[in-house]
Amino acid sequence: MDKYPSQLLSRAVEEFGKLPGVGSKTALRLVLHMLRQEKDRVQSFADAITHLCNEVKYCLVCHNISDHDICTICSDPRRDATTVCVVENIQDVMAIEHTQSYHGLYHVLGGVISPMEGVGPSDLQIQSLVDRVGEGVVKEVILALSPTMEGDTTNFYIFRKLADADVVISVIARGIAQNDELQYTDEITLGRSIINRTPFKK
Amino acid sequence: MDKYPSQLLSRAVEEFGKLPGVGSKTALRLVLHMLRQEKDRVQSFADAITHLCNEVKYCLVCHNISDHDICTICSDPRRDATTVCVVENIQDVMAIEHTQSYHGLYHVLGGVISPMEGVGPSDLQIQSLVDRVGEGVVKEVILALSPTMEGDTTNFYIFRKLADADVVISVIARGIAQNDELQYTDEITLGRSIINRTPFKK
């Protein structure tokens, strides 16, 4: 007997098992869950995935996922079009939106420069950022990339690319996180948090 | 802004979020993973699910998932057709097959009697088991259901249904598991393991 009693089952488990973080046992559990569903619910599941992948659009301005050519953030007149926050991916946009602390626009790079993974500047939306800044509306570019070597490399690359442009370039603050314990914070973060200390606000 | 920047994305995340054990963050991660795949790979994923759910068959004899009317186990002449092991679901069949300790056939009930979840005997493949035993080939029925109240109830129900049939009815051994620590084993299991002690084999 093969591992699974049916080829159809085996194929479905294999497909589910390709998802990140899903092993063969979880895949089997998910597939058997699908099997217990009504057929139209399964169809609806399959349709949602294929529709998304076939019809997905990316905002022509910020490259965030969007249902239209221009996303809801870029087309919102209440948002501050003079500020652009550069992020790696759409999860980061959602995370920053969730804070309700930012009212400018975004620019989704689609990753960071990573020679190890074969990602160069041309694979990212860096030139389109330079072009966007060149249009003259943007006054500040906030770099909000991962605090990693790749993120820092990308920050520096963008900084150099925008060196001649008339914009303020800032980087999101790095320091100790809310509720972190000082004694367990790594040296680089703790060192930076002292160097970049901010005036105490009463 | 809505929670997600796109309705298509939102719908796909919602569908993935319906899977057991998948929250909205995991769902988003899975959906964005799909988005990064080639379109034909996504189609292949969706097809595997819909094909399975539309074309799945269950063995007419043992009710295990199968590609044919009779499954590979039931149609295998090398297997002992006089012994039938009664299990809840196909994962249990796979688990027992994996032990390579059993060479008889199976009977997949599709669950256990559970008044709490509204599962009665008629929702399970119990009558078909009685009919199957009634054909006279089966000499032993091994009950291999969960060691829970529902499993015990189902065991007892099947036992009574088969009371008049000329078959041996056995239940898989309950006792301490390999590598379990005696002191942390629950009282019922430990008590049973002493009562049901087996002769020491040299």
Side-chain angles (χ1 to χ4, degrees):
Chain A
M1 183 196 180
D2 296 327
K3 193 169 177 198
Y4 300 103
S6 145
Q7 290 300 316
L8 285 165
L9 179 69
S10 171
R11 209 188 129 215
V13 171
E14 191 189 309
E15 287 289 345
F16 261 97
K18 286 178 188 166
L19 294 172
V22 177
S24 64
K25 286 213 170 181
T26 306
L28 177 62
R29 196 163 53 85
L30 295 178
V31 168
L32 292 175
H33 169 85
M34 298 299 291
L35 257 184
R36 283 193 293 273
Q37 305 300 306
E38 301 288 330
K39 278 184 190 171
D40 54 350
R41 286 195 57 185
V42 175
Q43 194 61 54
S44 151
F45 174 88
D47 287 350
I49 305 300
T50 46
H51 281 178
L52 174 67
C53 292
N54 290 326
E55 295 162 31
V56 67
K57 285 183 182 174
Y58 294 92
C59 173
L60 296 175
V61 178
C62 74
H63 310 286
N64 192 7
I65 286 182
S66 170
D67 287 332
H68 310 283
D69 286 343
I70 308 293
C71 76
T72 48
I73 296 177
C74 287
S75 58
D76 186 344
R78 288 166 303 180
R79 304 210 52 139
D80 174 15
T82 65
T83 312
V84 169
C85 180
V86 178
V87 293
E88 279 178 53
N89 52 45
I90 81 140
Q91 285 110 309
D92 295 341
V93 172
M94 287 168 56
I96 294 175
E97 282 298 282
H98 201 67
T99 67
Q100 303 192 325
S101 298
Y102 180 68
H103 307 287
L105 306 183
Y106 292 92
H107 194 89
V108 180
L109 288 189
V112 282
I113 297 171
S114 169
M116 290 280 281
E117 294 180 17
V119 180
S122 59
D123 300 313
L124 306 172
Q125 294 292 349
I126 292 179
Q127 188 54 48
S128 65
L129 174 67
V130 174
D131 295 345
R132 192 173 167 189
V133 169
E135 287 166 13
V137 176
V138 179
K139 297 294 171 217
E140 180 175 4
V141 171
I142 303 172
L143 300 172
L145 304 181
S146 301
T148 57
M149 188 137 73
E150 289 79 10
D152 286 342
T153 305
T154 314
N155 277 344
F156 190 65
Y157 184 88
I158 294 174
F159 180 79
R160 280 187 41 186
K161 276 282 187 181
L162 293 176
D164 298 334
D166 182 23
V167 283
V168 176
I169 300 177
S170 54
V171 180
I172 53 166
R174 296 186 190 172
I176 58 164
Q178 189 73 11
N179 297 331
D180 257 12
E181 292 211 44
L182 241 68
Q183 58 179 324
Y184 300 124
T185 304
D186 69 285
E187 293 162 15
I188 296 177
T189 303
L190 196 54
R192 276 207 190 215
S193 78
I194 291 171
I195 293 167
N196 299 331
R197 63 194 178 278
T198 51
F200 186 80
K201 283 173 202 137
K202 277 184 283 194
Chain B
M1 185 197 178
D2 296 325
K3 190 168 179 203
Y4 300 104
S6 146
Q7 291 297 316
L8 285 167
L9 179 68
S10 171
R11 211 189 127 215
V13 171
E14 193 189 308
E15 288 288 347
F16 262 97
K18 286 177 188 168
L19 294 172
V22 176
S24 63
K25 284 212 171 181
T26 305
L28 177 62
R29 195 161 54 84
L30 294 178
V31 168
L32 293 174
H33 169 84
M34 300 296 292
L35 258 183
R36 281 192 295 270
Q37 305 302 306
E38 301 289 330
K39 276 181 192 175
D40 54 350
R41 286 196 55 183
V42 174
Q43 194 61 52
S44 150
F45 174 87
D47 287 350
I49 304 301
T50 49
H51 281 179
L52 175 66
C53 292
N54 290 326
E55 296 162 32
V56 70
K57 284 183 185 173
Y58 294 91
C59 175
L60 296 175
V61 178
C62 74
H63 309 286
N64 192 8
I65 288 183
S66 171
D67 287 332
H68 310 284
D69 286 343
I70 309 293
C71 77
T72 48
I73 296 178
C74 287
S75 59
D76 186 343
R78 288 166 301 178
R79 303 208 54 137
D80 172 15
T82 66
T83 312
V84 168
C85 181
V86 178
V87 293
E88 280 178 53
N89 53 46
I90 81 141
Q91 286 111 308
D92 295 340
V93 172
M94 287 167 59
I96 294 175
E97 282 297 285
H98 201 66
T99 66
Q100 302 191 328
S101 299
Y102 180 68
H103 307 288
L105 306 183
Y106 293 92
H107 195 88
V108 181
L109 287 188
V112 281
I113 296 171
S114 170
M116 290 282 279
E117 293 180 18
V119 180
S122 59
D123 299 315
L124 306 173
Q125 296 291 348
I126 293 179
Q127 189 54 49
S128 65
L129 174 66
V130 175
D131 296 345
R132 190 173 168 189
V133 169
E135 288 168 13
V137 176
V138 178
K139 297 297 171 215
E140 179 175 4
V141 171
I142 303 171
L143 300 172
L145 305 180
S146 302
T148 59
M149 188 138 71
E150 289 80 8
D152 285 342
T153 305
T154 313
N155 278 343
F156 190 65
Y157 184 88
I158 294 174
F159 180 78
R160 281 188 42 185
K161 277 280 187 185
L162 293 177
D164 297 333
D166 182 26
V167 284
V168 176
I169 301 178
S170 54
V171 179
I172 52 166
R174 295 188 190 171
I176 58 164
Q178 188 72 9
N179 296 330
D180 257 13
E181 293 211 40
L182 241 67
Q183 57 179 324
Y184 300 125
T185 304
D186 69 285
E187 294 160 16
I188 296 177
T189 303
L190 196 53
R192 277 208 190 215
S193 77
I194 292 170
I195 292 167
N196 299 330
R197 62 194 177 278
T198 50
F200 187 80
K201 285 176 202 133
K202 274 184 283 192

